[in-house]
Amino acid sequence: MARPGGRSARVQEAVHTAVRELEAEQGRAKLTVPAIAARAGVTPSTVYRRWGDLHELLSDVAVERLRPEEPPSDHGALRADLTAWARQFLDEMASPPGRAYVRDALLGDPDGSNAGQCSAYAAGQVETILARALDRGEAAPPVETVMDLVVAPMMYRILFRPDPLTAEYADHLVETALATPEESA
């Protein structure tokens, strides 16, 4: 969703803040559009008009929460940069709040735009890492290779496998993505 300006931005921020506060205070099960609207200082019809229903609102909030706050850290080499990023990504997404945000982002996303936005966030972070590597003269795989071999398996396991995921799992995925054909044969 494009970031609105003016009053629309203020309404979005107030409603998002209300969702986060009420969820922290009362728990997710007690969230309702009327309670959120009252906390945000808007009418329930404003929320329904903008988001449609509670699931779409929670999806919008989740997408904002999943937006990276800063560029990936620079450790001076592709392997180190991608490994640090993959570990952090896995740690955040596989945490209980991360898993909830991912599910929310998908649950209230009838047209797939929120899923696409979340994918774009990850791809943008990977693009930054790979561009740094290329600027340093390192060979780097294409963005889609990293998305397919690092991000996609993580997201599958986060969504469909309840077992804990480790930093070693992230390391393995990075090694697979960076392996040359001779190394993987």
Side-chain angles (χ1 to χ4, degrees):
M1 171 179 279
R3 286 184 174 252
R7 180 181 186 286
S8 186
R10 288 189 302 276
V11 167
Q12 178 176 327
E13 180 57 33
V15 171
H16 280 213
T17 298
V19 169
R20 291 189 301 271
E21 288 174 356
L22 287 169
E23 186 172 18
E25 292 169 13
Q26 303 173 1
R28 178 180 187 83
K30 294 193 179 188
L31 288 178
T32 65
V33 169
I36 293 165
R39 174 67 63 96
V42 299
T43 64
S45 64
T46 298
V47 175
Y48 288 120
R49 190 171 40 254
R50 177 155 184 159
W51 286 280
D53 64 21
L54 182 61
H55 290 301
E56 289 185 41
L57 171 57
L58 294 176
S59 182
D60 190 48
V61 171
V63 169
E64 279 301 308
R65 298 294 291 185
L66 293 170
R67 177 189 304 270
E69 294 178 3
E70 53 193 47
S73 50
D74 187 346
H75 298 276
L78 174 58
R79 186 173 312 283
D81 289 353
L82 193 55
T83 298
W85 179 82
R87 283 178 168 211
Q88 180 180 357
F89 182 83
L90 182 63
D91 186 54
E92 290 174 2
M93 296 297 133
S95 70
R99 286 177 191 251
Y101 288 136
V102 169
R103 287 186 188 106
D104 280 347
L106 299 176
L107 182 62
D109 188 25
D111 66 359
S113 62
N114 286 345
Q117 187 59 54
C118 291
S119 178
Y121 293 158
Q125 295 272 291
V126 169
E127 286 171 0
T128 298
I129 291 167
L130 299 178
R132 286 179 187 158
L134 292 172
D135 288 346
R136 290 188 293 258
E138 295 178 83
V143 172
E144 288 306 313
T145 297
V146 175
M147 295 297 289
D148 290 345
L149 297 177
V150 177
V151 178
M154 285 183 190
M155 294 309 297
Y156 175 84
R157 301 242 344 232
I158 287 165
L159 286 168
F160 300 112
R161 305 279 306 266
D163 49 313
L165 298 170
T166 64
E168 292 76 25
Y169 176 66
D171 296 350
H172 167 73
L173 295 175
V174 169
E175 290 303 318
T176 300
L178 297 180
T180 63
E182 297 79 40
E183 290 173 325
S184 61

